[in-house]
Amino acid sequence: MSVHFRDITMANLRAVYELEVGPGQDGLVAPVGYSIAEAHLSDEVFHYRAIYDGETPVGFLMWDVQPPGNQFPGWGLCRLLIDHRHQARGYGRAALDLLCAEIQSSTDRPRCLWTSYEPREDGPREFYRRYGFVPTGDVIDGEEVARLAQWPDGSPTDDPFA
Ligand SMILES: CC(C)(COP(=O)(O)OP(=O)(O)OC[C@H]1O[C@@H](n2cnc3c(N)ncnc32)[C@H](O)[C@@H]1OP(=O)(O)O)[C@@H](O)C(=O)NCCC(=O)NCCS
């Protein structure tokens, strides 16, 4: 496995746009095309990348960084989508590892990572729990909010409210 992030350009737009969730997973995450449009049209600053294994696009993620004083200060994972043909092979976990490494080497603070997800039985709660996300008890737009307690190397994430 050679998982890495790649910028989305005209050269790979169609291949990345066509990444999609599987039957029954509608509503868990917005389609890639919608997320890219949102990132460009929103007043907020979003960052997005394609997730590749070698030369194969397998997924998409999008995040933002909120300053201290915000309700959820720090890095917020807004979208994570592994194409249904590539799920359950470790790509989701590998993408989180890459994002964590990017955060840990960044000067953007606080260095902590939030996410939120649909509290559905067939949703990604268990995926995030296994990775180390802990529900905060907050609910935003009907989604459970969770925050990563420690980085994959075991070091603690910043206290976002310190
Ligand atoms: C959720 C998602 C990102 C996970 O990516 P993935 O590549 O399929 O997951 P991985 O193979 O990296 O799984 C990592 C671990 O989580 C577990 N896991 C993954 N999805 C799970 C699920 N839906 N329920 C329970 N466990 C799950 C795996 O069994 C694995 O466990 P391990 O600790 O034994 O290794 C992907 O399945 C997906 O895009 N789903 C549809 C959209 C979605 O829900 N996105 C999240 C929006 S917030």
Side-chain angles (χ1 to χ4, degrees):
M1 202 192 291
S2 163
V3 184
H4 58 280
F5 292 161
R6 257 189 218 183
D7 288 342
I8 299 170
T9 66
M10 287 310 293
N12 64 359
L13 174 60
R14 180 165 293 281
V16 177
Y17 177 88
E18 288 175 351
L19 298 170
E20 59 185 7
V21 295
Q25 293 184 324
D26 289 339
L28 289 174
V29 64
V32 172
Y34 180 90
S35 293
I36 295 174
E38 184 182 6
H40 283 265
L41 296 174
S42 172
D43 292 336
E44 290 183 45
V45 177
F46 290 105
H47 310 270
Y48 58 84
R49 300 282 188 280
I51 303 162
Y52 272 72
D53 183 4
E55 290 304 309
T56 306
V58 299
F60 171 87
L61 84 169
M62 185 162 105
W63 71 88
D64 65 0
V65 185
Q66 298 290 342
N70 185 277
Q71 186 183 8
F72 302 110
W75 296 57
L77 178 60
C78 314
R79 306 280 151 73
L80 176 60
L81 182 158
I82 302 298
D83 181 272
H84 65 104
R85 289 158 290 196
H86 301 288
Q87 288 178 10
R89 295 184 194 171
Y91 291 128
R93 179 184 289 274
L96 289 179
D97 285 346
L98 288 170
L99 182 60
C100 287
E102 184 148 344
I103 299 170
Q104 286 186 276
S105 65
S106 166
T107 54
D108 286 340
R109 290 167 195 269
R111 289 180 184 144
C112 63
L113 181 59
W114 304 86
T115 194
S116 67
Y117 46 81
E118 290 286 332
R120 268 163 53 176
E121 187 94 350
D122 59 348
R125 179 196 283 120
E126 181 63 15
F127 164 75
Y128 286 118
R129 192 193 67 78
R130 284 180 189 225
Y131 197 81
F133 282 85
V134 178
T136 63
D138 297 291
V139 174
I140 187 155
D141 297 333
E143 296 194 342
E144 274 179 25
V145 177
R147 186 164 62 80
L148 190 62
Q150 58 180 31
W151 302 116
D153 63 13
S155 60
T157 57
D158 286 353
D159 176 349
F161 305 112

